């Protein structure tokens, strides 16, 4: 053994060198840099979660152990059960509709000239806060068609096919020959041919009369017919005009429908001219004249979008308006990576555009669609702002969701124990969805 070998043997194995991180930074230094972030993470995430879990086992006052009573309330309290039911509706429909619209928009923007501008317009609602969007859609869904855009459009379409009456508030005045009948009015006595019948009404403001209405004219009697006048028997000014008589300043009820009724059956009918006059044939002899209820039908006021039955779908519509752009952008990014040769090969093989979309494009985009849908599911589980702002007080119980019920229990009703239990329950609902999304993202990275 040489002296050098002996020296090496006596020295023993060399001490291992301290390993460095991938970036060349020592672990101690890296830990020091991460420490502020870890402290914030613990203070803002870990501690609140742990405190909520502990607090969920205490009663409302916080000085007594309640066990699992707060968690039992999640399935017995009517308000929480309604919120849970609505959350299921949200999770099923909101992500599905938003993802489907995003897919359609992403595919269409590749085929239009102004695709970039279209993407900008669709994505623009994402720049609006939930608070602002809630205020916007509270106005959109307003019941008054003069304020609410949704009802303005709906009423416009409805009135195109079913015109509302111009005389919803018309009714007989004093000493009138008419009496109420099934929502309309009917004469007390029968009429005969050769007579001139007066059908005076009041209750319609002059500025609410139909534009076609003209000065009322007293109908002259004719043999073999029944003539009459339906008019607004009211003249402004004290002592001006005579009750039951057509005065020069009074207007006829243009378009008023008059029916001749015998033994409960309509034997003849007529429509008043612009001056209120009408004519019935001889078949009306011995009948009573009826003004049917259709003449007095109130104007169609649209749909009660924020009523108990439609408030949840209406709010989901506002959510889709905001998040369809988010889905479109992610799907468009995935669509850009789809091999064009596969699409062209399908077209060469004779597939039409619908078949290419359904059998080629959608399957290739399935991973992206899954990520978008799962991300939106996580988002809708926490929805609060839109429901709180859009739903009026009368319908808020019907639109209730878990996040809103958490707020109400914790701050309005003074039950922090149940509020903490709802928070923990929401966390348990979100965790599986988050894990699914993370696994899928990792799988995509490996590919």
């Amino acid at each position: 053994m040489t002296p050098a070998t002996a020296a090496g043997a006596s020295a023993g194995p060399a001490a291992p060198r301290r390993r460095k991180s991938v970036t060349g930074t020592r672990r101690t230094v890296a830990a020091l840099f991460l420490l502020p972030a870890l402290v914030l993470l613990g203070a803002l995430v870990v501690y609140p979660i742990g405190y909520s879990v502990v607090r969920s086992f205490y009663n409302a006052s916080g000085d007594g152990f309640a066990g699992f009573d707060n968690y039992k309330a999640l399935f017995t309290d009517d308000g929480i059960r309604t919120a849970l039911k609505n959350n299921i509706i949200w999770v099923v429909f909101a992500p599905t509709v938003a993802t489907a619209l995003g897919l359609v928009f992403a595919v269409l923007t590749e085929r239009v000239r102004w695709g970039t501008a279209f993407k900008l317009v669709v994505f623009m609602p994402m720049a609006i806060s939930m608070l602002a969007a809630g205020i916007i859609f509270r106005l959109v869904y307003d019941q008054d068609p003069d304020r609410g855009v949704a009802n303005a459009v709906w009423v416009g379409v409805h009135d195109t096919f079913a015109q509302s009456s111009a005389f919803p508030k018309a009714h007989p005045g004093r000493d009138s020959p008419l009496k109420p009948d099934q929502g309309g009015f009917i004469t007390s006595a029968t009429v005969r041919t050769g007579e001139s019948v007066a059908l005076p009404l009041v209750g319609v403001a002059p500025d609410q009369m139909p534009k076609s209405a003209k000065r009322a004219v007293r109908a002259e009697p004719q043999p073999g017919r029944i003539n009459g006048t339906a008019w607004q028997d009211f003249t402004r000014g004290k002592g001006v005009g005579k009750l039951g008589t057509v005065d020069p300043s009074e207007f006829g009820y243009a378009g008023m429908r008059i029916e001749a009724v015998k033994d409960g059956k309509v034997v003849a009918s007529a429509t008043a001219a612009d001056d209120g006059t009408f004519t019935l044939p001889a078949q009306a002899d011995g009948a009573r004249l009826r003004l049917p209820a259709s003449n007095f039908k109130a104007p169609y006021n649209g749909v009660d979008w924020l009523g108990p039955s439609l408030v949840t779908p209406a709010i989901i519509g506002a959510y889709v308006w905001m998040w369809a752009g988010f889905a479109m952008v992610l799907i468009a990014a995935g669509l850009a990576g789809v091999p064009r040769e596969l699409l062209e090969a399908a077209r060469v093989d004779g597939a039409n555009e619908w078949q290419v979309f359904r059998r080629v494009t959608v399957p290739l985009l399935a991973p992206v669609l899954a990520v978008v849908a799962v991300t939106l599911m996580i988002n809708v589980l926490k929805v609060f702002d839109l429901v709180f702002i859009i739903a009026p007080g009368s319908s808020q119980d019907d639109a209730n969701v878990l996040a809103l019920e958490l707020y109400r229990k914790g701050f309005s009703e003074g039950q922090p124990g149940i509020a903490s239990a709802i928070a923990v329950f929401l966390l348990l609902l979100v965790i599986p969805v988050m894990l699914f999304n993370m696994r899928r993202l990792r799988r995509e990275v490996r590919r």
Side-chain angles (χ1 to χ4, degrees):
M1 181 180 295
T2 63
T5 306
S10 62
R17 301 179 63 183
R18 179 174 293 181
R19 296 182 62 185
K20 295 184 178 181
S21 67
V22 177
T23 59
T25 308
R26 294 186 181 277
R27 290 187 175 182
T28 305
V29 177
L32 290 175
F33 275 102
L34 288 174
L35 184 61
L38 293 174
V39 171
L40 287 175
L41 185 66
L44 301 178
V45 178
V46 178
Y47 173 74
I49 291 176
Y51 182 80
S52 296
V53 172
V54 173
R55 193 69 182 81
S56 66
F57 292 102
Y58 282 81
N59 57 18
S61 61
D63 55 3
F65 186 75
F68 288 93
D69 290 348
N70 292 329
Y71 290 95
K72 292 178 182 177
L74 298 180
F75 305 98
T76 57
D77 184 274
D78 290 337
I80 300 177
R81 289 169 63 183
T82 301
L84 184 58
K85 180 194 70 174
N86 287 335
N87 263 103
I88 294 173
I89 295 173
W90 272 88
V91 169
V92 171
F93 290 101
T96 303
V97 176
T99 304
L101 283 178
L103 174 62
V104 172
F105 290 155
V107 173
L108 289 180
T109 50
E110 288 199 336
R111 299 175 178 273
V112 297
R113 177 179 295 181
W114 302 100
T116 303
F118 181 80
K119 286 181 181 178
L120 179 63
V121 171
V122 175
F123 188 75
M124 194 174 295
M126 283 294 299
I128 303 175
S129 68
M130 286 282 196
L131 173 64
I135 294 173
I136 291 171
F137 275 87
R138 182 67 180 269
L139 294 174
V140 168
Y141 291 133
D142 195 285
Q143 180 68 38
D144 186 356
D146 294 331
R147 297 179 58 191
V149 175
N151 266 339
V153 174
W154 192 268
V155 170
V157 173
H158 174 274
D159 289 350
T160 301
F161 300 97
Q163 187 66 37
S164 299
S165 169
F167 319 110
K169 296 183 179 180
H171 59 274
R174 291 184 293 112
D175 301 328
S176 174
L178 295 168
K179 65 178 183 179
D181 177 72
Q182 299 178 4
F185 305 99
I186 194 169
T187 56
S188 302
T190 58
V191 295
R192 296 291 178 183
T193 54
E195 292 182 354
S196 178
V197 182
L199 301 179
L201 295 167
V202 295
V204 181
D207 58 344
Q208 298 296 320
M209 293 292 289
K211 294 181 180 180
S212 61
K214 296 181 179 179
R215 302 288 181 182
V217 176
R218 180 182 179 278
E220 297 296 333
Q222 293 183 4
R225 295 182 179 181
I226 297 173
N227 291 346
T229 304
W231 83 101
Q232 173 80 353
D233 188 20
F234 176 78
T235 302
R236 287 183 175 179
K238 187 176 181 180
V240 179
K242 187 177 180 182
L243 192 65
T245 303
V246 178
D247 296 312
S249 62
E250 295 170 348
F251 284 86
Y253 278 152
M256 178 73 74
R257 180 176 173 81
I258 298 95
E259 298 175 344
V261 181
K262 282 184 180 180
D263 300 325
K265 296 181 180 180
V266 177
V267 296
S269 62
T271 301
D274 292 344
D275 58 5
T277 59
F278 62 90
T279 301
L280 290 168
Q283 292 90 327
D285 184 55
R288 293 198 295 171
L289 302 189
R290 181 173 66 188
L291 305 178
S294 58
N295 290 315
F296 313 101
K297 182 173 60 176
Y300 182 65
N301 203 36
V303 177
D304 188 9
W305 298 103
L306 300 181
S309 59
L310 290 178
V311 63
T312 294
I315 299 173
I316 290 177
Y319 177 88
V320 170
W321 175 77
M322 289 192 67
W323 287 88
F326 168 81
M328 177 197 67
V329 170
L330 292 187
I331 295 171
L335 191 61
V338 172
R340 301 300 169 184
E341 56 269 17
L342 295 179
L343 304 180
E344 294 301 326
R347 294 187 180 100
V348 170
D349 289 341
N352 56 37
E353 291 302 319
W354 169 244
Q355 291 173 327
V356 172
F357 173 76
R358 184 167 58 91
R359 298 186 178 181
V360 181
T361 305
V362 173
L364 290 175
L365 288 175
V368 178
L369 296 176
V371 170
V372 172
V374 172
T375 303
L376 292 178
M377 284 181 186
I378 297 172
N379 187 268
V380 299
L381 282 171
K382 304 178 296 180
V383 68
F384 166 79
D385 316 61
L386 287 179
V387 180
F388 183 73
I389 296 167
I390 295 178
S394 58
S395 300
Q396 202 167 85
D397 288 340
D398 300 283
N400 200 9
V401 290
L402 288 174
L404 177 59
E405 185 65 14
L406 185 155
Y407 169 81
R408 294 168 71 175
K409 293 293 185 188
F411 297 97
S412 299
E413 301 178 16
Q415 302 183 52
I418 295 181
S420 299
I422 296 174
V424 174
F425 183 64
L426 272 175
L427 178 64
L428 294 176
L429 292 178
V430 170
I431 286 176
V433 184
M434 290 178 61
L435 292 176
F436 175 82
N437 215 14
M438 290 170 61
R439 288 181 60 186
R440 182 168 287 277
L441 288 173
R442 288 176 181 174
R443 196 178 306 161
E444 290 300 315
V445 170
R446 289 171 188 169
R447 291 181 181 177

